[in-house]
Amino acid sequence: MIDMGSDLDTSVYRDRIVRARASMERAGVDVLLLSVGSDLPYLSGYEAMPLERLTMLVVPRDGEVTLVIPKLEAPRVTVRAGVFEVLPWNETDDPVAIVASLVARPRAVAVGDTMWARFLVELLGHWPSGGTRYLRGTAVMNELRMRKDASEVAALQAAGAAADRVATKLQQGDIALVGRTEAAVSGEISARLLAEGHDVVNFAIVATGENAASPHHHAGERVIARGDMVLCDFGGTMNGYCSDITRCVSIGEPPAEVAHAYAVLRAAQAAGVEAGVVGADCQDVDRAARRVITDGGYGEFFIHRTGHGIGMEAHEDPYMVEGNNSPIEVGHAFSVEPGIYVPGSWGMRLEDIVVATADGPLAINQVDHDLVVLG
Amino acid sequence: MIDMGSDLDTSVYRDRIVRARASMERAGVDVLLLSVGSDLPYLSGYEAMPLERLTMLVVPRDGEVTLVIPKLEAPRVTVRAGVFEVLPWNETDDPVAIVASLVARPRAVAVGDTMWARFLVELLGHWPSGGTRYLRGTAVMNELRMRKDASEVAALQAAGAAADRVATKLQQGDIALVGRTEAAVSGEISARLLAEGHDVVNFAIVATGENAASPHHHAGERVIARGDMVLCDFGGTMNGYCSDITRCVSIGEPPAEVAHAYAVLRAAQAAGVEAGVVGADCQDVDRAARRVITDGGYGEFFIHRTGHGIGMEAHEDPYMVEGNNSPIEVGHAFSVEPGIYVPGSWGMRLEDIVVATADGPLAINQVDHDLVVLG
C-alpha cells in the first residue's frame, strides 16, 4: 500500500476538490463516490485498502466532503482541514447505508471506475437506476487527471528515467539472457526496477521467440536461446506515478525479414509520437502508426491499439485508439507502442511514454530505439 | 498474475459450473457475470487481468457459458471443453454491449464482488435496475466457495505451514528486531514468505509499541527498541490459497499489565476457536472470544470483528461478526483473531486459521500461542 501523493500540500487537495466540483457542475453530477483506486488519493491524499470493508469519499456538489472509513482504518488517515471530514463506521454498521444517508437521493451519481461492484450493487438498493442515473467517475475526474501539471510530469519523468536505466542495462547486455528462462529475466528486471527507485513493479513481460506473438504473454519457463527475439515490456510505480517501456533485443543477427519488420515498426512508432500533438485527435496517433505498418505489409499483425494514457495508473484515459476523437490537450501523457505479431513465429513492440506540450511531444523515455543485437 | 487453480482437471470446473447453476436456480438468478477476482478462476481456471479491457465469464442458467475476452489476451486462455467457449473482442468493439447481447434481458443478475464498477455502470445502460434486479455474486458463489473440499483444505494447510515456518523463526529470535525499522522487518518477513513457497505476499504488518494499537498499521520507520511489543500479522497466496497468521513477541519482559492482557487474549482466542463448530452461528465465534475479553476488562479495546473467511482470497465469507447468524458448515475456513488495542500505548492480536470439520475445528496453524519474550 503506497499512500500515493500524500506528501502534497493540503492546498493542492483543496484546489482539486474545487475543480472536481466545477467538473461535476458541467457534467450534471450531484454526487461523486470514490473508493479503491487512484481518484481517491488524487483528490484526498488517502488511498483505500482494497478490502471488503468499504472506504468511500462522498463528494456532494455542495456541502461537506466526507470520508466514510472503517473505524479500525481511521488511524491511517492524515486529516486535512478543508478537504474532508472523517466518518468512521463500526464493524456491525452498514457502510453503504451510511453513504446513502449523507446525501439526498441524487439524480446523477458518478462512481469511481475501480470501486468494487459489490458496493454499487448495494447502492442500487438505495438508489435504483430508474430514478438515479449512474456515470463513470471518469465523467468528472478525467478533466482533472488527464491534464498532468508540472509536478506530475516531473514524477512521470523520474519514473521513466528509472525504467530507462533498466532498459539501458538490457541493451548493454548487462542482464544475462541466453540459457535463462523468461521468468528468471522477468524477476531480474523487477528487482532492478525496485533498485532504481520504484515502489512497486506493475508488470515485467518477457516474451521470447514465438511467445512474443502474444502481446500479454506471462513470462514463463521458456529458456532463451541464440536466434531469439526478446521482447521486454516493464514498468512500475514510483512516488505515485507510473513508468512503462518496451524494448526488444535480438540474440544474434535477426533474419532479414525480422530486421525489415523492425525497421517498419520503428518508423511506425516515430510516426505515432509525431502525431501526438495538441489539437490532434487521440485516434490520429493510432492512425499514424498503423498506416506505416499497413503500408509496410504488416497491418493484419498489429492487433491492438497504439497506446494508453498513463499517470497514477499504468493504464488510464486517454486511449490512443480508433474511434477516440477526443482532442489531445496540454499535459496528456500516453504510451505510443505499436507492435507486429506473427502467430507461432515472432513478435515485436516498441514503446515510449510521451507528454503533449505546447511545444510538441515531450519524450519521457530516452533509450535507443534500435533493435539491439546481443552476443 | 497467478493463473490460480489452472492445474486442476477440467472435470473439476465442469462440476463447479453445474453446481453454480444449481445455486443460481435456488437464488432465482438468470445470469452470473464474473470478471476480476477469484470467482472466475474458481469456476473456469482462468484469471482475468485487472486492466481496463473487460474479461467476463457469462454464465446463463441454461445454454452455453462464454468467456468474453480481449482478443490480445485470448492466447493466455487454456481452453477447457465443456466449461466455456471463448469469445474474443476487438480493440474497437464495445465488450459490455457484447455481454448484454449474449442473453435475453434477465430478471436477476449476479455480478462478481470485485468486478470494476465501471463495467456495472455500463451494464446499467443496457439493463436498468428497474427491470433487472442486481445481486452480489456471493448469492450464487458462496454456497460453493465457502465449503472447501479436501484439496482446498490441503492447499490451506500447505500455505499455513509455510507461514508457520516464518512465525516460528520470529519466535525463535531468528528475525532480528531491535534497532531495525518496522518496514525492514516487514521486508524480511515478506522475503521469507516467498522463500517458504508463497507465490505472492498479501500483507506483512509489523506494528510496534504504540503503533500496534492501530490494527491496520502500515509498517513504517519506527525503530524497534527494548520494551516493545512487536505485532506481526502476515500472509500470502500459495498455489491459489491464502495464509494468514498473527503472533506477538515482547522485547524483554512485558509490564505486568501487558502480560495480564495477553493471558486474557490467549484465552479469548482459544474460546473463539472452540466455538467454531459445525452448526454454531458465525457470530458465536465472535461472541465467545469477545466475552472473555469483556470479562477480562478489555471489552472497549477489542474494536474489530473476531474473524474472516479465507480461501482463494485473504478475506472472504463467512465473517465471524455479530449479526452473522449463518451456520458454520463443514469446510468453512476462517480466522480467529481477537485483539486488544489501547490507543497511544500498546496493542496485541493473536490469530490462527481453522477449518470446521465434522470432528471439530481443524487447526491450520500450529505455532506456539504464548507471548514469546526475546532478548
Side-chain angles (χ1 to χ4, degrees):
Chain A
M1 190 81 31
I2 314 292
D3 200 4
M4 294 192 293
S6 63
D7 54 341
L8 298 179
D9 193 86
T10 294
S11 65
V12 172
Y13 301 109
R14 275 202 291 259
D15 174 60
R16 288 175 178 176
I17 294 274
V18 168
R19 286 159 58 214
R21 282 176 154 162
S23 180
M24 289 166 70
E25 181 85 30
R26 281 187 288 277
V29 168
D30 299 311
V31 61
L32 172 67
L33 301 178
L34 300 178
S35 182
V36 171
S38 304
D39 289 333
L40 178 54
Y42 179 88
L43 269 195
S44 73
Y46 181 74
E47 185 176 9
M49 302 189 78
L51 292 171
E52 72 286 357
R53 290 183 182 95
L54 179 65
T55 295
M56 187 169 275
L57 190 74
V58 180
V59 187
R61 214 191 295 180
D62 306 292
E64 203 160 80
V65 177
T66 307
L67 183 68
V68 175
I69 186 166
K71 190 175 186 178
L72 76 165
E73 292 169 21
R76 302 176 73 245
V77 179
T78 304
V79 179
R80 298 175 196 279
V83 179
F84 58 81
E85 298 293 312
V86 177
L87 180 54
W89 58 273
N90 292 305
E91 290 284 72
T92 54
D93 290 340
D94 175 347
V96 174
I98 291 172
V99 166
S101 74
L102 288 175
V103 284
R105 179 159 181 189
R107 286 157 304 168
V109 182
V111 300
D113 262 18
T114 55
M115 174 177 142
W116 287 7
R118 59 174 284 181
F119 299 116
L120 181 48
V121 166
E122 292 177 0
L123 201 62
L124 287 169
H126 296 272
W127 302 333
S129 73
T132 296
R133 194 161 56 98
Y134 286 84
L135 292 87
R136 288 178 52 192
T138 50
V140 171
M141 296 301 297
N142 265 359
E143 200 175 306
L144 283 74
R145 287 192 45 200
M146 288 203 306
R147 294 184 202 149
K148 272 70 180 176
D149 66 22
S151 71
E152 293 182 286
V153 173
L156 286 168
Q157 286 180 305
D164 276 5
R165 292 192 289 274
V166 179
T168 299
K169 293 288 183 191
L170 173 73
Q171 292 187 330
Q172 289 174 342
D174 294 341
I175 298 175
L177 298 172
V178 175
R180 297 177 83 192
T181 64
E182 295 171 344
V185 175
S186 175
E188 178 170 346
I189 288 174
S190 297
R192 286 180 181 265
L193 284 170
L194 295 174
E196 293 292 352
H198 286 85
D199 301 303
V200 185
V201 176
N202 295 326
F203 50 87
I205 295 171
V206 177
T208 63
E210 69 280 5
N211 287 344
S214 170
H216 278 187
H217 174 69
H218 180 59
E221 294 311 308
R222 187 180 184 282
V223 175
I224 300 169
R226 287 197 60 78
D228 279 347
M229 174 80 95
V230 179
L231 183 163
C232 300
D233 180 353
F234 50 86
T237 305
M238 184 167 142
N239 293 324
Y241 285 79
C242 295
S243 65
D244 191 353
I245 185 171
T246 307
R247 288 294 185 272
C248 294
V249 298
S250 177
I251 313 291
E253 283 296 333
E257 186 206 355
V258 171
H260 173 69
Y262 193 89
V264 172
L265 179 69
R266 191 183 157 164
Q269 203 269 345
V273 170
E274 205 173 324
V277 295
V278 173
D281 289 354
C282 289
Q283 66 186 357
D284 293 339
V285 173
D286 185 81
R287 288 173 176 178
R290 199 168 300 275
R291 187 176 309 118
V292 175
I293 290 179
T294 301
D295 289 351
Y298 297 100
E300 67 182 300
F301 302 120
F302 178 17
I303 57 174
H304 57 71
R305 67 189 177 209
T306 295
H308 55 79
I310 188 169
M312 294 175 76
E313 288 173 81
H315 292 183
E316 60 182 45
D317 283 309
Y319 291 96
M320 304 294 133
V321 60
E322 179 66 32
N324 186 358
N325 57 9
S326 308
I328 295 173
E329 300 177 18
V330 170
H332 283 191
F334 50 88
S335 72
V336 180
E337 49 176 314
I340 301 174
Y341 311 94
V342 181
S345 297
W346 49 265
M348 52 177 65
R349 181 163 64 251
L350 178 61
E351 174 185 25
D352 288 327
I353 305 301
V354 296
V355 178
T357 77
D359 303 325
L362 170 70
I364 296 292
N365 302 100
Q366 311 286 349
V367 181
D368 189 354
H369 292 81
D370 282 336
L371 176 61
V372 171
V373 178
L374 294 176
Chain B
M1 190 82 28
I2 314 292
D3 199 4
M4 296 193 290
S6 61
D7 53 343
L8 298 179
D9 193 86
T10 294
S11 66
V12 172
Y13 301 110
R14 275 201 291 257
D15 175 60
R16 288 175 177 175
I17 295 274
V18 169
R19 286 158 59 214
R21 282 176 154 162
S23 179
M24 290 167 69
E25 181 84 31
R26 281 187 288 277
V29 167
D30 300 312
V31 62
L32 172 67
L33 301 178
L34 300 178
S35 181
V36 171
S38 304
D39 289 332
L40 178 54
Y42 179 88
L43 269 195
S44 72
Y46 181 74
E47 185 176 9
M49 301 190 79
L51 292 171
E52 72 286 357
R53 290 183 182 95
L54 179 66
T55 296
M56 187 168 275
L57 189 74
V58 181
V59 187
R61 215 192 293 180
D62 305 294
E64 204 160 79
V65 178
T66 307
L67 183 68
V68 175
I69 187 167
K71 191 174 186 177
L72 77 164
E73 293 169 20
R76 302 177 73 242
V77 178
T78 304
V79 179
R80 296 174 196 281
V83 180
F84 58 81
E85 298 294 312
V86 177
L87 180 54
W89 58 271
N90 292 306
E91 289 285 72
T92 54
D93 291 339
D94 175 347
V96 174
I98 291 172
V99 167
S101 74
L102 289 176
V103 284
R105 179 160 180 187
R107 288 155 304 168
V109 182
V111 300
D113 262 19
T114 55
M115 174 178 143
W116 287 6
R118 59 174 283 182
F119 299 115
L120 182 47
V121 166
E122 292 176 0
L123 201 62
L124 287 169
H126 296 272
W127 302 334
S129 72
T132 296
R133 194 161 55 97
Y134 286 84
L135 291 87
R136 289 178 51 193
T138 50
V140 171
M141 297 300 297
N142 266 358
E143 200 175 307
L144 285 72
R145 288 193 45 201
M146 288 202 305
R147 292 186 204 149
K148 273 71 182 176
D149 66 23
S151 72
E152 293 182 286
V153 173
L156 286 168
Q157 286 180 305
D164 275 5
R165 291 193 289 275
V166 179
T168 300
K169 293 288 182 191
L170 173 72
Q171 292 186 330
Q172 289 174 343
D174 293 340
I175 298 175
L177 299 172
V178 175
R180 296 176 83 190
T181 62
E182 295 170 343
V185 174
S186 175
E188 179 171 345
I189 288 173
S190 297
R192 285 179 182 264
L193 285 169
L194 295 174
E196 293 292 352
H198 286 85
D199 301 304
V200 185
V201 175
N202 294 326
F203 51 87
I205 295 172
V206 177
T208 64
E210 68 280 6
N211 287 344
S214 170
H216 278 186
H217 175 69
H218 180 58
E221 294 310 308
R222 186 179 184 282
V223 176
I224 299 169
R226 287 196 60 77
D228 280 347
M229 175 78 96
V230 179
L231 183 163
C232 300
D233 180 353
F234 50 86
T237 305
M238 183 165 143
N239 293 325
Y241 285 79
C242 294
S243 65
D244 191 354
I245 185 171
T246 308
R247 287 296 185 270
C248 294
V249 298
S250 176
I251 313 293
E253 284 296 333
E257 186 207 355
V258 170
H260 173 69
Y262 192 88
V264 172
L265 178 68
R266 191 183 157 164
Q269 204 269 344
V273 170
E274 206 173 324
V277 295
V278 172
D281 288 355
C282 289
Q283 65 186 358
D284 293 339
V285 173
D286 185 81
R287 288 175 177 178
R290 198 169 303 275
R291 188 176 308 119
V292 174
I293 289 178
T294 301
D295 290 350
Y298 297 100
E300 68 182 299
F301 302 119
F302 178 17
I303 57 174
H304 57 71
R305 66 189 178 210
T306 295
H308 55 79
I310 187 169
M312 294 175 76
E313 288 173 78
H315 292 184
E316 59 182 45
D317 283 309
Y319 292 97
M320 305 293 133
V321 61
E322 180 66 32
N324 186 357
N325 57 8
S326 307
I328 295 174
E329 300 177 18
V330 170
H332 283 192
F334 50 89
S335 72
V336 180
E337 51 175 313
I340 301 175
Y341 311 93
V342 181
S345 297
W346 50 265
M348 52 178 65
R349 181 163 64 251
L350 178 61
E351 174 184 26
D352 289 328
I353 305 302
V354 296
V355 178
T357 77
D359 304 324
L362 170 69
I364 296 291
N365 303 100
Q366 311 286 350
V367 181
D368 190 353
H369 292 80
D370 283 336
L371 175 62
V372 171
V373 178
L374 293 175

